[in-house]
Each structure stands twice: as C-alpha cells, then as structure tokens.
Amino acid sequence: MNQRTNDEVLQLLQAFQLTSDNHGAYAGEWIETTGPRIESINPTTGEAIASVRMASADEYERVAQVTIEAFEAWRTWPAPQRGEVVRQLGDALRKQKDELGRLVTLEVGKTLSEGLGEVQEMIDMADLAVGMSRQLFGKSMHSERPQHRMYEQWHPMGPTGIITAFNFPVAVWAWNAMVAAVCGNSMIWKPSPEAPLTSLAVTRIAQRVLEENDAPAIFNLAIGGVEQVGEALVADTRFPLISATGSVRMGKQVGAAVAARMGRSLLELGGNNGLLVMDDADLDLALRGVLFGAAGTAGQRCTTTRRLFLQKGIAQEMKERLVQAYGSVRIGDPLEDNVLMGPLINQKAVDGMLEALERVQEQGGRILCGGKSLDGPGFFVEPTLVEIDQQTPMVCDETFAPILYIMEFDDLDEAIAIHNAVPQGLSSAIFTLNMRSAERFLAATGSDCGIANVNIGTSGAEIGGAFGGEKDTGGGREAGSDSWKAYMRRQTCTLNWGTELPLAQGVEFEV
Ligand code: UN1
C-alpha cells in the first residue's frame, strides 16, 4: 500500500471512529465482542485495512433482545415521526457521502464514482422512505352489511433481520432499513464478512441520529459467523421477517429455514441477466449499455449483464466493437480517476472466474478477449468476452465476475425463448428502435424477469421502482413502489356501528 493510501485509510477510519481493531456488534451501545477476529482486506492491494471481532452466540442474543425491546417502543411512534428520524439519517449520509463512498471503494474495490453512487442510493432511499412514512395507505371497502364499515390497515411487522452481500455493502441495507424503519420495525443487520467496515461506519452514523432523537435502538448490527449470527437470526422466531441478499444457494437455505417456522423472507438472489441487441438497434447506445452492464463493478452486481444475444445482421460488427472497447477498459486502483474497473473481491472470486472460463472452453466456448488474471498485488482480472452456442450448459450459471457470454440469434421469438431458459430471473434488456420489438419484449410472453429495460442496460436501476426478480432470484421486491408492504402486516377490520348483527353471505343463525 503506498503512502497516499495509508494516510487516506487512517483518515477514513477516524471519520467513523474506527480503529485498526473494532468490535462487531451494536445494540444501542457498542458490545465488546468476543468471537473470532476477521480482517477487512483491501482487494486492490490484498492488504488488511483493519480487523473486526465478530459476535458470539451470546452476543447475538444480546443484540436480538435489544432489537425486540426497541420494536415495542418504536412501533408506537407515529409513522411521520419515524420518517423524521429517517430524514435526518439521509441528511447525515449527505454530510458524509464522500468519506463513506471512499470507504466503500476501499473495502470492496468498486470505482469511486460507483462508491459515491452507492451512498447516493442510500440517500435516495431515505428521501423515498420519508415520503412513504405519510403514505402507508390501506384501502377501505363497502361492507355488504348495513351500518358496517370495512377497511384494512397496515401495522409494523416486527423485528427484522437484514442479511447483505459484499457487492452493495451499504445500499442494500438502506433499501431495507429505511423502509423497515418508517414502517415501524427494528432490525439487526448481518453484513457480509467481506465488508465489515462499511457496516460499522453506517451504524455509527445511524447511532448518532437515533441518539439525537432519543429514539429506540432500531438500527442494530451483528457481524458474525454463519452459525453464531446467520443461522441464529434465520431460525429466530422472534424475527417475523428476514430479508436476505446473496447467492441462490444461500437464499434457498434461508428461504427454507424461514418458511419452516412460518416466517416471511424477502429474497434478492442471483441474476443471470440477458441483453438482446436487434439489427435495428442504436449500436452506440447498445455498446455503452453492454460495457457498463458487463464490465462495470467488475461484473459483481446481481444485475450485471452476463449473456449477450446478438441478432445475426449486427453480430459481427458488435463483437468487433466490443473487443475493441474491452481492450480500452482502464483497470486499476478504483480510487484513482479514470479507472473503470477495480479488482474482484478476493482470490476465491479470481479462482472462480478462471475455473468458469476453463469449463466453458471445455464446452466449446471461444474467448474473444480477456480471460486472464493480472499479476498481484490485488485481485485483478481482465474483462472477458466468450462466444458460445445457445445450448452451452455454463450459460445457466452465474459466475460473479466480468465474463460476458455472447450468442447469436435469427429472430426475436427465438431470442426471448433462450433468454428465458435459465433458472434466474432478475434483470433483462433489449436494444431496438422498433416499437413492436420493444413491446414484444415487455409483454407477458416476453422477458420473464423482475426488471425489463428498453435501450438501457441491465444494471443501474433507480430506487423508485420495486427491485427484485423471479424464479431462482427469489421473488422478493425491495426499495420503491409498494415494496413497503413486505415490512408490514395487513389487518382487515370490520366495524359494526348498528344495533343488529347481520351475518355475511346472508347466513341466518337465530335461536
Ligand atoms: C445488487 O447488485 O445486489 O440496479 C444490487 C443496480 C443497483 C443495485 C444492484 N442499483 O445495479
């Protein structure tokens, strides 16, 4: 690590009252954790930034109890007052956007522009949630019985578990936390062990805002192992809602465990996102959309473009232009200006990418460019284009790395069929200037994904819409639209203000 980076690291840590060794649990106060130590590794250098002591099973229990007590109090706060606390949290994030964005970049290796974008996503979520706090609407209905009133209302669901992944270490917490908070829930955050420092930093900010408002301890943190924290939280019947982001493998376990205890899960799992380019597309737009979608964030978004479908008329030209563009993607320290691609998160991710490339080549895939890891320090790889046939088995796997599989097709119906023939269903896109093709892609018989875009890539969704996907992606919806309903319980109320007791459906029951 060079001198500049060393000083910067120290300054960043201090901005959030972090030191070289930190406690990894918060529940209204910082808990002296006694679990094993983990190190947060800067993926750009391979060196440790700082260490964190994880929570033990007992310490998890302490965090859980405080979270449950906090819920009892918080749910009595009027929703707009809860929104006011979230508004202040958004402002606190605005003040520290630069520092937190840099810490995100340092800890997970996304470019600074993307690190700052991630904090902006948190701020946007806070703003949205403030508005929601006055719009947690229920419907009213006309009762079939005279002098009866019928309506539904939404109550806070309860203490909520939030499990997040390394690749959006803070924004995905905000998707859940901002909304859960205005809905009246308290929560425990279990962040990725690859990104503990950003979770500590965010919790410090949230702590300050809660204290300034004399609010209950609703934003709690438990950094811990799978058994001590992850499995304990997922199995904990006192937590009616578990929101989890990560791999399909993890999500299937979480979903099954939560369902077995009749809890609710909100799952945002892997994607295998496809992008179609039609012969009539604006190829300049398509090229930019593919490049950001496939190589941006070093291919480590759940919305990353992993499959590219080229109509035969433009296939050759697009491939040539892509190879050229891939050759000029600047790879390096993501804190430096002009760098477009930082490192992968760790050596395991590099190995996983190289193994996937080996396997796809065994299945007949042809590497058009890239394909190698770069010499250390850090976990850098080349963005890679692989030409494959439609039937190649590897096309069904999500490898969390910048590998783009390219296939050709003749007509749109064929492309939609192969596009939908994978287990995952998160995001999708078509580039076309033909209105019929665009509408065909968005129709019920078109893309089967939770997100479908026209002349926009697969990644980089705004928070105003509901985010999530179908099939193996888990079916959950987070962030905007009416996603708040997942964090509340619905109650249907019928109120009789008359002097008779008529029964519904005309049933008679007189003695
Ligand atoms: C993720 O990768 O888990 O749409 C989330 C996007 C971002 C969120 C990605 N707004 O690419």
Side-chain angles (χ1 to χ4, degrees):
M1 211 188 294
N2 64 33
Q3 194 52 45
R4 181 190 67 80
T5 321
N6 247 333
D7 291 347
E8 189 158 2
V9 169
L10 268 175
Q11 261 180 19
L12 280 181
L13 293 179
Q14 280 165 6
F16 301 103
Q17 298 138 280
L18 299 173
T19 65
S20 57
D21 190 31
N22 304 279
H23 291 298
Y26 173 83
E29 59 188 351
W30 289 91
I31 294 173
E32 303 223 339
T33 40
T34 59
R37 259 195 187 84
I38 48 167
E39 282 184 327
S40 168
I41 304 293
N42 177 353
T44 304
T45 61
E47 290 175 10
I49 306 167
S51 60
V52 178
R53 198 114 193 229
M54 297 198 291
S56 67
D58 285 349
E59 287 141 13
Y60 164 76
E61 180 53 29
R62 213 174 124 191
V63 178
Q65 273 172 24
V66 170
T67 307
I68 290 156
E69 279 162 31
F71 173 67
E72 299 301 325
W74 184 241
R75 66 174 166 179
T76 68
W77 284 43
Q81 278 184 30
R82 300 194 293 246
E84 169 56 19
V85 174
V86 168
R87 188 189 67 72
Q88 291 178 32
L89 180 53
D91 275 353
L93 287 163
R94 270 186 184 86
K95 287 198 189 98
Q96 289 204 284
K97 176 177 171 181
D98 190 62
E99 286 149 336
L100 187 56
R102 278 173 190 278
L103 190 63
V104 168
T105 290
L106 192 74
E107 188 166 50
V108 303
K110 60 177 67 180
T111 63
L112 183 55
S113 171
E114 292 187 64
L116 294 169
E118 178 156 358
V119 182
Q120 187 59 46
E121 197 160 341
M122 304 176 81
I123 295 167
D124 294 344
M125 271 314 299
D127 288 355
L128 183 76
V130 176
M132 279 179 185
S133 74
R134 290 181 185 268
Q135 299 175 82
L136 304 172
F137 297 136
K139 292 182 168 160
S140 68
M141 308 83 190
H142 286 263
S143 171
E144 67 190 53
R145 288 168 281 185
Q147 300 181 324
H148 280 55
R149 188 162 71 82
M150 220 179 141
Y151 69 101
E152 66 184 13
Q153 58 181 350
W154 294 84
H155 288 310
M157 180 91 145
T160 300
I162 302 174
I163 299 170
T164 58
F166 79 84
N167 66 326
F168 273 79
V170 292
V172 172
W173 174 80
W175 290 356
N176 286 280
M178 303 295 185
V179 177
V182 298
C183 289
N185 300 338
S186 60
M187 61 210 86
I188 297 183
W189 181 9
K190 184 206 175 293
S192 160
E194 301 289 347
L197 298 179
T198 43
S199 73
L200 293 172
V202 168
T203 303
R204 289 271 181 199
I205 296 173
Q207 173 189 6
R208 222 171 34 235
V209 173
L210 291 177
E211 286 172 0
E212 281 165 10
N213 286 279
D214 273 328
I218 57 162
F219 296 125
N220 298 316
L221 178 72
I223 300 173
V226 170
E227 205 179 304
Q228 295 81 1
V229 175
E231 287 174 1
L233 179 59
V234 164
D236 197 328
T237 51
R238 300 168 298 179
F239 285 72
L241 176 63
I242 303 291
S243 170
T245 303
S247 68
V248 171
R249 220 181 103 254
M250 176 280 293
K252 284 186 172 167
Q253 287 170 5
V254 170
V258 175
R261 63 171 173 87
M262 294 296 179
R264 280 195 218 163
S265 53
L266 188 49
L267 300 175
E268 204 262 279
L269 311 175
N272 190 356
N273 315 296
L275 187 154
L276 280 56
V277 185
M278 304 296 291
D279 283 346
D280 56 48
D282 178 334
L283 294 191
D284 294 337
L285 278 193
L287 187 76
R288 283 164 56 195
V290 174
L291 206 60
F292 177 63
T297 332
Q300 299 174 109
R301 289 190 187 217
C302 54
T303 49
T304 291
T305 309
R306 308 207 178 276
R307 301 177 297 141
L308 177 62
F309 302 94
L310 300 176
Q311 198 167 20
K312 289 230 164 89
I314 49 84
Q316 195 50 38
E317 182 186 346
M318 266 302 276
K319 278 187 262 184
E320 282 164 15
R321 290 181 70 175
L322 270 170
V323 168
Q324 201 186 12
Y326 265 54
S328 46
V329 170
R330 290 170 302 273
I331 305 170
D333 180 345
L335 279 171
E336 299 280 350
D337 286 345
N338 296 323
V339 165
L340 288 183
M341 210 181 104
L344 292 184
I345 189 67
N346 53 29
Q347 187 58 40
K348 204 169 144 218
V350 176
D351 296 344
M353 170 165 172
L354 299 178
E355 275 162 35
L357 289 175
E358 238 169 75
R359 240 179 315 144
V360 76
Q361 287 181 90
E362 282 163 21
Q363 296 172 4
R366 297 164 295 280
I367 293 185
L368 297 181
C369 69
K372 292 192 282 297
S373 59
L374 305 182
D375 289 340
F379 311 116
F380 290 91
V381 294
E382 294 173 334
T384 302
L385 297 172
V386 186
E387 195 169 22
I388 60 168
D389 299 326
Q390 291 179 7
Q391 310 309 329
T392 310
M394 271 299 283
V395 80
C396 288
D397 290 1
E398 179 193 41
T399 302
F400 225 57
I403 303 176
L404 181 63
Y405 296 131
I406 304 180
M407 287 152 276
E408 294 186 15
F409 67 92
D410 286 306
D411 66 63
L412 183 52
D413 284 350
E414 171 203 355
I416 289 173
I418 46 173
H419 171 273
N420 290 348
V422 292
Q424 310 86 348
L426 179 56
S427 186
S428 60
I430 187 170
F431 279 78
T432 181
L433 297 179
N434 182 313
M435 181 261 235
R436 287 190 176 146
S437 301
E439 293 290 354
R440 167 78 183 89
F441 186 72
L442 300 175
T445 52
S447 162
D448 64 359
C449 292
I451 297 170
N453 296 333
V454 177
N455 295 328
I456 292 177
T458 59
S459 68
E462 301 176 20
I463 51 94
F467 185 97
E470 303 304 329
K471 302 194 287 185
D472 273 4
T473 302
R477 291 297 186 278
E478 293 170 329
S481 185
D482 63 353
S483 303
W484 59 268
K485 290 179 177 169
Y487 302 83
M488 303 198 85
R489 62 184 172 87
R490 185 196 310 244
Q491 187 169 63
T492 302
C493 309
T494 311
L495 197 145
N496 176 4
W497 56 276
T499 55
E500 303 292 321
L501 191 67
L503 298 176
Q505 295 89 41
V507 172
E508 301 276 359
F509 199 85
E510 297 290 342
V511 281

